[in-house]
Amino acid sequence: MKIIELFGVPGAGKTVATVYLYRKFEKFGYKCCLLRENEYEDLVSLNRRKYILKIFKCRNWLLIIKLLFLSVFYKGKKYYLGNTRNKLKILFRQLMYLEIYKDKNLEKEYDVLISDQGLVQEITGFLLESKQRVPVLVKFLDIVKSTSCDMHYVYVNKPIDVVKENIHKRNRKLSEMDFFDEKTLNQYLTDYDKKLTQTYDNFNKKYNFIKFDDYIKRECLDD
């Protein structure tokens, strides 16, 4: 099964990109599934609840303890994104993604699994606050690489002006970022974009990172 994990700054168009990939692969006869529900179209999505209990397997406890100290108990200096409860939710989601990616039974049901919110997306958000997050990201990437997953990390990158326009259009009030003033939002997106570009440049060869447009061409999905 091909697993496609999209990552990019908020407003870059990841959610729209999941629909595009889903429709394109479906057109070629692949059975597709989204890791979570899409807000724009009613497409087949995964029932993630059954993976919640798997998070607490014995093999995950050492990783959980390490992540608690690196993520939950650390307060960022510039953009303090999320309280302890939200950070715990992100931590457990990361472990849930690992369990999903390693589930061999999914290969019997689907050919392509597409996610617009995964390991890279979640962890790079915290890279804005501290380089301490880099070992966490590497740890997760190495775990996935050690499995037989056909993993594709796809970077959706857009100019900051386009990203800001998209954010204003959707007018969400779901995260701390949605309440930033214009100056703070612009700085946040600029910093986030810089951090993602650095992450892509550092990891694209070792972990099969690729930009969205290049991925479309490589998979012959362009119109």
Side-chain angles (χ1 to χ4, degrees):
M1 179 178 68
K2 189 190 303 289
I3 302 175
I4 305 170
E5 183 180 298
L6 303 175
F7 67 97
V9 297
K14 298 183 296 294
T15 306
V16 174
T18 59
V19 177
Y20 179 88
L21 291 172
Y22 187 104
R23 293 302 187 196
K24 285 293 183 179
F25 278 112
E26 186 180 52
K27 183 179 179 180
F28 287 108
Y30 291 96
K31 191 171 183 181
C32 302
C33 180
L34 300 182
L35 192 140
R36 65 171 185 160
E37 294 180 354
N38 188 280
E39 62 183 284
Y40 300 119
E41 291 196 35
D42 185 19
L43 304 174
V44 175
S45 59
L46 197 64
N47 177 14
R48 300 187 296 178
R49 291 183 179 179
K50 65 179 182 179
Y51 294 97
I52 294 176
L53 291 178
K54 293 183 179 181
I55 292 172
F56 301 100
K57 289 181 177 180
C58 293
R59 69 188 183 199
N60 287 332
W61 275 108
L62 182 59
L63 186 58
I64 288 174
I65 293 171
K66 287 182 179 179
L67 292 175
L68 282 173
F69 282 99
L70 286 172
S71 297
V72 178
F73 299 125
Y74 175 82
K75 184 173 181 178
K77 298 177 181 177
K78 193 168 185 179
Y79 308 106
Y80 180 41
L81 301 176
N83 53 34
T84 300
R85 180 182 177 185
N86 288 336
K87 288 187 176 183
L88 278 171
K89 287 171 65 177
I90 291 173
L91 163 62
F92 290 128
R93 276 206 303 267
Q94 291 165 359
L95 292 170
M96 180 183 67
Y97 298 144
L98 282 181
E99 294 299 327
I100 291 172
Y101 294 165
K102 293 186 289 186
D103 185 2
K104 299 297 181 183
N105 291 322
L106 284 176
E107 296 181 2
K108 301 175 183 177
E109 301 180 55
Y110 306 106
D111 303 309
V112 182
L113 178 66
I114 308 169
S115 172
D116 64 342
Q117 183 186 57
L119 298 174
V120 177
Q121 183 65 33
E122 296 273 25
I123 300 173
T124 48
F126 290 117
L127 288 178
L128 279 169
E129 304 291 0
S130 171
K131 292 182 179 179
Q132 291 178 356
R133 299 306 191 285
V134 175
V136 178
L137 178 57
V138 171
K139 178 66 175 177
F140 276 109
L141 293 174
D142 283 341
I143 292 174
V144 175
K145 190 175 181 179
S146 68
T147 69
S148 57
C149 292
D150 181 15
M151 197 74 198
H152 304 256
Y153 301 101
V154 181
Y155 181 21
V156 182
N157 58 322
K158 298 287 184 183
I160 296 300
D161 289 343
V162 175
V163 168
K164 285 173 61 178
E165 184 179 346
N166 290 340
I167 289 174
H168 292 319
K169 281 181 179 178
R170 69 188 187 187
N171 194 29
R172 291 176 183 166
K173 296 296 179 183
L174 300 175
S175 66
E176 291 181 59
M177 180 203 74
D178 297 322
F179 297 92
F180 286 164
D181 58 45
E182 196 66 22
K183 182 179 179 180
T184 305
L185 177 63
N186 187 73
Q187 188 62 54
Y188 168 74
L189 293 173
T190 301
D191 291 346
Y192 202 164
D193 182 65
K194 182 179 179 180
K195 187 62 64 176
L196 283 173
T197 300
Q198 291 174 350
T199 302
Y200 174 83
D201 291 339
N202 291 336
F203 298 139
N204 64 339
K205 293 181 180 179
K206 184 176 180 180
Y207 298 110
N208 197 27
F209 282 22
I210 187 171
K211 293 183 179 180
F212 183 78
D213 291 341
D214 294 332
Y215 185 75
I216 295 300
K217 294 176 182 177
R218 191 182 77 182
E219 299 294 317
C220 300
L221 299 174
D222 46 344
D223 295 322

